[in-house]
Amino acid sequence: MSTQLPGPHDEVPPPTIEEVSPGIYAYIQLDGSWFLNNAGCIVGSRSATVIDTTGTERRARAFHAAVREVTQLPVSALINTHSHGDHTHGNFMFAPASAIIASERCRQEILAAGHAVYALFPMVDFGECPLTPPTVTFEDRLTVYVDDLRVELLYMGPAHTTSDIVAWIPERKLLFTGDLVFNGGTPFALGGSVGGWLEALDRLEALGAETIVPGHGPVAGPEVLGQVRRYLEWLLAVGREGFARGVPPLELAQGLEFGEFAEWHDRERIVPNLHRVYSELRGEPRGTPLDYRQMFAEMLAFNGGRPLRCLA
């Protein structure tokens, strides 16, 4: 079964900036497929804090302009929820004036990856995005204040990656999840852990968030956590069965019925997701590196040799 693929007239709506709580904004890039991620901005009385950036020079400049539409205050801090380029390539727009905050693993992964992802998406004009890694890192948790508003940064990996953090604002019951939540898109566990992701969802549900800004897709309520959980539990179930029968992940993926997840975009991620399940069933440590070039080649094979749907 193949995923939705780009047609000659595919278009995406322009990004929007939505006030999700007084002085707190979500920057939404629909449809939320490959490299169309979300970001955020928290505005105080003296400065602002940004959460994530975007993946191309053009989109990074558009996000910076959107931030300037809601505040002219200096951006004192930029938080990266994880290392992937769609959330970090635009860091250069806020450096060196802003402290760039992330997990220590996020800094390591950004430096190790460089711009290797460019080769995987030859249809994208990435522009010039100088590599700009975090300058302030932590291991488990860190608290950032915007005026008196407490923003708790909590390490959640390995899950989507080994570097995931979330930004939890308890006073507003508002949660920026990074890519621990894809709303309407297929989760992607190539660089993380399916078991760890399910444990991270337990922790997120316990926070009691009422508003969730996902890494991709529209702003949602807490029900979106259950949607991600159902996908991961289904993934584990089909993965265990395929592993027991010795079916290679690509072959298994090609024979699956996706049920309630059939309309989610980027279904080809099922292939690396199954490889991740198999890795964990073999007893390999969570986050054990997989051959990402092989994973992308198998996703193309799942799509019948046609390219991934990336409209960035």
Side-chain angles (χ1 to χ4, degrees):
M1 180 181 292
S2 64
T3 188
Q4 304 97 317
L5 296 168
H9 305 295
D10 269 7
E11 294 182 357
V12 294
T16 60
I17 190 159
E18 307 173 11
E19 191 168 23
V20 291
S21 186
I24 304 178
Y25 299 85
Y27 185 74
I28 306 298
Q29 298 189 110
L30 299 177
D31 61 2
S33 53
W34 290 103
F35 263 83
L36 292 177
N37 68 297
N38 300 332
C41 180
I42 307 170
V43 180
S45 62
R46 298 179 297 276
S47 66
T49 292
V50 165
I51 302 172
D52 282 334
T53 57
T54 54
T56 69
E57 179 184 5
R58 177 177 64 87
R59 289 185 175 275
R61 294 189 183 281
F63 173 53
H64 187 273
V67 170
R68 286 293 165 240
E69 289 177 5
V70 298
T71 181
Q72 292 296 314
L73 293 171
V75 175
S76 60
L78 160 62
I79 297 162
N80 285 155
T81 60
H82 62 290
S83 61
H84 284 170
D86 50 341
H87 295 257
T88 63
H89 281 173
N91 284 0
F92 75 94
M93 287 298 300
F94 297 92
S98 307
I100 304 175
I101 304 170
S103 69
E104 175 62 24
R105 286 181 178 271
C106 180
R107 175 180 167 85
Q108 295 170 3
E109 289 176 3
I110 289 173
L111 291 170
H115 291 124
V117 72
Y118 287 6
L120 302 173
F121 294 95
M123 74 290 286
V124 176
D125 179 6
F126 285 97
E128 296 294 328
C129 296
L131 196 67
T132 309
T135 55
V136 178
T137 66
F138 65 97
E139 295 290 343
D140 183 53
R141 61 190 303 145
L142 181 71
T143 300
V144 174
Y145 284 91
V146 182
D147 291 346
D148 292 328
L149 186 65
R150 181 182 180 95
V151 183
E152 298 179 4
L153 307 182
L154 309 173
Y155 176 68
M156 293 282 171
H160 168 61
T161 67
T162 65
S163 62
D164 303 299
I165 67 170
V166 299
W168 166 234
I169 307 171
E171 181 180 322
R172 308 291 180 84
K173 296 189 181 301
L174 174 62
L175 179 65
F176 286 84
T177 65
D179 283 1
L180 293 180
V181 173
F182 290 78
N183 185 11
T186 304
F188 189 42
L190 170 59
S193 164
V194 175
W197 202 328
L198 285 166
E199 291 174 8
L201 289 173
D202 289 340
R203 295 176 61 191
L204 296 184
E205 288 168 344
L207 293 175
E210 295 178 356
T211 304
I212 291 177
V213 181
H216 294 257
V219 175
E223 71 282 348
V224 74
L225 300 176
Q227 295 170 12
V228 177
R229 178 182 294 281
R230 288 196 301 277
Y231 175 86
L232 295 174
E233 290 176 341
W234 169 77
L235 176 71
L236 272 179
V238 297
R240 288 188 181 113
E241 180 181 352
F243 184 82
R245 293 191 288 120
V247 181
L250 176 57
E251 180 181 337
L252 178 61
Q254 289 169 328
L256 289 176
E257 294 294 334
F258 283 72
E260 69 172 296
F261 317 114
E263 298 305 314
W264 289 4
H265 52 66
D266 307 321
R267 286 196 304 273
E268 68 276 357
R269 293 173 183 165
I270 184 69
V271 183
N273 289 348
L274 286 170
H275 275 280
R276 177 57 62 194
V277 171
Y278 281 29
S279 171
E280 295 180 21
L281 290 173
R282 288 193 296 268
E284 295 170 356
R286 290 175 173 178
T288 293
L290 301 177
D291 184 341
Y292 73 91
R293 293 188 183 277
Q294 176 192 346
M295 299 299 102
F296 273 79
E298 291 192 15
M299 284 192 283
L300 291 177
F302 180 84
N303 284 345
R306 291 168 291 179
L308 305 183
R309 184 180 187 276
C310 185
L311 304 176

